[in-house]
């Protein structure tokens, strides 16, 4: 019996550390990706300065702003969820007790977020794979070259993985809060 409880305790400790590692990884990726916002502003300023000040412009530079915007959106979404900074329709939610909110978060994470994240992963793998296989480049002459387009598309399943694991972490947190009340 002591051996069984020791194994269970080890497993619970391992799961807790694994989930903390997932949350930390998500946080670091989200914070790192958020710095692309500063780069986007600077590049956009540079594009405007070149266009109107010197009548110069490059398509690849303009596409890089779109690329950075997409990367920010994809990589910061899981971080925003982890910080509860996502959009929530809380017409009813804000009036509920904390225990009810935790139950809704548990069910929502397991039955909504995790399946949608898995769908995002599975639905994007062929799309991403085809982009890498064809060494996809921009459709515009002078646009972004290989490997930037496939790399950007690779953020789609990465976002799915991050959202899936953040959903598991959120579900575990909600479960712990429900059982500790």
């Amino acid at each position: 019996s002591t051996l069984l409880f020791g194994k269970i305790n080890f497993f619970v400790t391992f799961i807790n550390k694994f989930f903390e590692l997932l949350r930390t990884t998500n946080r670091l990726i989200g914070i790192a990706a958020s710095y692309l916002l500063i780069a986007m502003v600077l590049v956009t300023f540079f594009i405007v300065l070149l266009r109107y000040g010197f009548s110069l412009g490059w398509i690849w530079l303009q596409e890089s702003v779109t690329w950075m915007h997409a990367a920010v959106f994809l990589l910061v979404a899981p971080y925003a969820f982890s910080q509860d900074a996502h959009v929530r329709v809380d017409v009813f939610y804000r009036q509920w007790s904390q225990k009810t909110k935790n139950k809704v978060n548990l069910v929502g994470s397991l039955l909504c977020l995790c399946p949608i994240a898995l769908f995002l992963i599975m639905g994007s793998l062929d799309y991403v794979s085809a982009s890498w296989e064809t060494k996809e480049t921009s459709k515009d002459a002078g646009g972004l070259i290989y490997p930037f387009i496939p790399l950007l598309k690779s953020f789609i399943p990465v976002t799915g993985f991050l959202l899936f694991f953040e959903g598991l972490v959120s579900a575990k947190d909600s479960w712990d809060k429900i059982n500790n009340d």
Side-chain angles (χ1 to χ4, degrees):
S1 138
T2 307
L3 182 63
L4 177 64
F5 285 121
K7 287 182 179 183
I8 291 172
N9 190 31
F10 172 78
F11 180 72
V12 169
T13 303
F14 174 78
I15 292 296
N16 286 335
K17 289 185 184 221
F18 179 68
F19 279 178
E20 189 56 39
L21 175 67
L22 291 173
R23 180 150 280 166
T24 301
T25 301
N26 222 351
R27 188 177 310 122
L28 291 173
I29 290 171
I31 291 169
S34 69
Y35 283 104
L36 283 175
L37 292 170
I38 297 168
M40 282 174 49
V41 169
L42 294 173
V43 170
T44 302
F45 174 76
F46 189 63
I47 289 169
V48 171
L49 182 68
L50 286 174
R51 179 179 294 152
Y52 295 108
F54 301 100
S55 297
L56 293 172
W58 295 282
I59 293 173
W60 67 267
L61 193 58
Q62 291 173 317
E63 284 184 354
S64 72
V65 173
T66 304
W67 186 86
M68 286 185 279
H69 184 259
V72 167
F73 176 80
L74 288 168
L75 297 176
V76 173
Y79 172 69
F81 180 79
S82 75
Q83 300 300 306
D84 204 23
H86 55 87
V87 175
R88 182 192 301 270
V89 181
D90 62 353
V91 174
F92 302 109
Y93 184 87
R94 66 176 162 224
Q95 298 170 5
W96 291 338
S97 69
Q98 191 58 46
K99 189 166 188 166
T100 303
K101 288 179 182 180
N102 288 329
K103 289 177 182 177
V104 168
N105 290 341
L106 174 66
V107 170
S109 291
L110 293 178
L111 298 182
C112 294
L113 179 61
C114 287
I116 289 171
L118 288 174
F119 177 75
L120 184 63
I121 295 165
M122 299 308 294
S124 66
L125 290 178
D126 287 340
Y127 178 69
V128 173
S129 177
S131 182
W132 281 104
E133 286 172 10
T134 61
K135 297 185 177 184
E136 185 177 6
T137 61
S138 174
K139 308 233 181 306
D140 296 320
L144 288 174
I145 59 171
Y146 178 81
F148 292 107
I149 303 300
L151 181 63
L152 175 61
K153 289 181 178 183
S154 296
F155 289 160
I156 298 169
V158 168
T159 297
F161 279 111
L162 294 173
L163 280 171
F164 178 78
F165 286 119
E166 192 57 48
L168 292 179
V169 172
S170 174
K172 181 201 170 293
D173 289 348
S174 297
W175 178 262
D176 289 346
K177 289 175 186 174
I178 291 168
N179 290 321
N180 289 335
D181 286 343

